[in-house]
Every structure is written in structure tokens, then in C-alpha cells.
């Protein structure tokens, strides 16, 4: 899989793609992640990529030309299954969407900024608009990182234990059961006895019951799905 991220703040994504599971997945060749500085594609001699909005509204708007040039350069090289625009107006990102995107071949993520992008880009080039939640970020980079992270960890081989991506919270619309590690007794705070029983059936039942109870208490909306 290949993910191309188009941004005016490439530095913001540097650490993200070079650390932890995402970096390991790249090294293993499971995913190629390429960050593009939108300013490299502008025809403006001052490297500007935004301008004032028509109609006298407040804020600045990202212009068509550099975005179109960048996307055209990418699509001339290979087919893209999705051209995603990160925006609070978009469809709400969730685990089923991450699962679906993890099965794609190549995707582009265009990070929104300023007041937005010229609407013609959204009409003519973008295939999907995604929001990571009902709040407004200063730019789409954190959204692009969240979407990329959620996709990459689903790629086969990305995380050590093949089971663990499937047992994540939300994969079955349930929150995860609590987890514990050594020591068994920390300042009198005890690990539940069942986890030390060695009885796999009892442990599995406990895990299911905990997942259900926590979901009912903390996220009853998930049980309605
Ligand atoms: N850009 C600004 N806010 C955003 C959000 N909530 N989701 C995705 N992109 C955004």
C-alpha cells in the first residue's frame, strides 16, 4: 500500500512517519508513506499556496493550482483508489472506515488548512472527505496522521501479535477488557485472580464479560450498532 500526504507543514508529519509501528511497517515494506510539501508545486514566486476568498469573507483559502499540480503529478505515476480531504465537514472516521481503507492500494490524503481549500478541488478531484471528530483543528495534519496510523496498524504484519489488531477496542463494537502486567500486587492493588488461574476458558469468559460491562457503562451507543 502507498499513502501520499499533501501538506503545507511536512515537518509536522516527520516524527509520525519515522517512529514506532508506522516506521517499522515502512521498513518492512508493508506501506510506503510519502509526504509532499504543497509549496513545491506552486507557480507563485513567493511560494504562496493561498489567497483571499472571493466574496470578502474572512481568512485565506488554499488555491487550486498547487493542489491540482501535486495531485496530477501523483496520478500521472499511478492509480489512486481514493483522494481524501481532511475536513470537519467530512464523514466521521471510525474503525469500519479504517478497515475499508486498509484494503486499498494507493491513497492520497490532502490536509486542509487556513479557511479551507478552493471548493473546486473538492468538487473535481477529491473522492472522499473525512473528519476525525466534531471539533476544529488548525490543520488537517493531525487528522491525516490519525487516519494513517489507524490504517497502517491493520496491515498484515504491522503489529507483532497477529491477534491484537483484531481484538482492539471497536473491532467488534466492544471496548477492550482491562489488561495487567507484573507485579501481581502493587501497593495492595491486586490483579484479578482469574487472570492468574491458568484456566483459558474462565479467562476468555472474564474478558468477554469485562468488555461488555465496560462498553455498557462507558459507551452504550456502541451496543446499539
Ligand atoms: N481539519 C480541521 N479539523 C478537522 C477535523 N475535525 N477532522 C479532519 N480534518 C480537520
Amino acid at each position: 500500500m502507498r499513502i501520499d500526504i499533501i501538506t503545507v507543514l511536512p515537518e509536522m508529519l516527520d516524527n509520525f512517519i519515522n517512529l514506532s509501528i508506522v516506521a517499522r511497517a515502512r521498513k518492512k515494506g508493508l506501506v510506503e508513506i510519502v509526504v509532499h510539501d504543497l509549496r513545491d508545486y506552486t507557480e507563485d514566486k513567493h511560494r504562496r499556496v493561498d489567497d483571499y476568498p472571493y466574496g470578502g469573507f474572512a481568512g485565506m483559502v488554499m488555491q487550486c493550482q498547487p493542489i491540482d499540480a501535486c495531485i496530477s503529478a501523483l496520478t500521472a505515476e499511478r492509480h489512486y483508489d481514493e483522494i481524501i480531504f481532511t475536513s470537519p465537514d467530512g464523514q466521521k472516521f471510525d474503525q469500519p472506515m479504517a478497515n475499508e481503507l486498509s484494503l486499498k492500494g494507493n491513497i492520497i490524503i490532502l490536509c486542509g488548512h487556513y479557511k479551507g481549500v478552493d471548493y473546486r478541488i473538492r468538487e473535481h478531484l477529491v473522492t472522499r472527505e473525512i473528519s476525525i471528530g466534531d471539533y476544529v483543528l488548525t490543520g488537517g495534519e493531525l487528522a491525516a496522521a490519525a487516519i494513517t496510523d489507524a490504517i497502517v496498524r491493520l496491515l498484515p504484519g504491522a503489529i507483532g501479535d497477529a491477534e491484537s489488531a483484531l481484538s482492539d477496542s471497536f473491532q467488534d463494537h466492544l471496548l477492550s477488557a482491562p489488561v495487567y502486567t507484573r507485579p501481581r500486587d502493587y501497593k495492595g492493588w491486586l490483579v484479578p485472580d482469574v487472570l492468574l488461574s491458568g484456566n483459558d476458558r474462565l479467562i476468555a469468559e472474564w474478558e468477554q464479560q469485562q468488555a461488555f460491562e465496560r462498553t455498557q457503562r462507558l459507551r452504550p451507543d456502541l451496543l446499539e450498532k
Side-chain angles (χ1 to χ4, degrees):
M1 174 175 205
R2 174 172 165 135
I3 304 176
D4 289 89
I5 305 178
I6 306 173
T7 168
V8 288
L9 289 172
E11 305 83 358
M12 217 167 147
L13 294 161
D14 279 352
N15 276 344
F16 166 67
I17 66 166
N18 288 311
L19 291 171
S20 186
I21 286 171
V22 172
R24 213 176 56 203
R26 290 174 62 215
K27 281 200 196 97
K28 282 186 173 176
L30 305 176
V31 62
E32 193 176 348
I33 303 178
V34 186
V35 177
H36 305 271
D37 185 344
L38 187 62
R39 291 180 208 284
D40 293 341
Y41 294 85
T42 178
E43 286 166 3
D44 182 83
K45 61 176 186 286
H46 304 296
R47 285 172 55 83
R48 276 184 60 172
V49 292
D50 62 331
D51 207 337
Y52 294 97
Y54 281 118
F57 302 111
M60 300 297 277
V61 176
M62 286 163 75
Q63 292 172 289
C64 286
Q65 180 274 318
I67 297 173
D68 184 31
C70 183
I71 291 177
S72 298
L74 292 173
T75 53
E77 291 290 322
R78 66 194 68 75
H79 169 76
Y80 284 90
D81 301 299
E82 294 280 5
I83 301 179
I84 295 166
F85 175 58
T86 57
S87 161
D89 312 355
Q91 196 187 348
K92 188 92 67 77
F93 189 60
D94 59 9
Q95 192 63 46
M97 205 190 292
N99 295 347
E100 185 202 332
L101 292 173
S102 75
L103 300 174
K104 305 275 182 192
N106 303 316
I107 63 176
I108 293 174
I109 306 180
L110 168 65
C111 302
H113 241 265
Y114 311 115
K115 200 71 190 153
V117 312
D118 190 309
Y119 201 71
R120 290 167 290 186
I121 292 292
R122 296 166 70 173
E123 285 176 313
H124 296 285
L125 295 180
V126 166
T127 60
R128 193 161 190 166
E129 304 200 347
I130 299 180
S131 164
I132 60 162
D134 287 340
Y135 41 81
V136 181
L137 302 165
T138 52
E141 286 72 18
L142 292 174
I147 294 164
T148 303
D149 189 284
I151 293 172
V152 168
R153 64 192 304 290
L154 291 170
L155 300 176
I159 46 183
D161 178 353
E163 296 268 294
S164 62
L166 289 176
S167 62
D168 281 342
S169 281
F170 294 109
Q171 276 301 8
D172 47 10
H173 301 302
L174 291 178
L175 302 183
S176 295
V179 292
Y180 302 87
T181 186
R182 287 183 287 188
R184 190 184 80 81
D185 181 347
Y186 178 74
K187 299 202 300 191
W189 306 342
L190 295 177
V191 173
D193 282 337
V194 61
L195 296 179
L196 304 154
S197 67
N199 184 325
D200 291 344
R201 186 181 56 80
L202 281 184
I203 292 173
E205 277 173 15
W206 176 88
E207 187 187 19
Q208 272 295 313
Q209 172 261 320
Q210 287 286 319
F212 187 78
E213 186 278 319
R214 292 187 75 241
T215 310
Q216 207 165 36
R217 183 161 47 87
L218 301 169
R219 290 292 308 276
D221 56 300
L222 293 176
L223 294 175
E224 283 154 26
K225 293 193 174 168

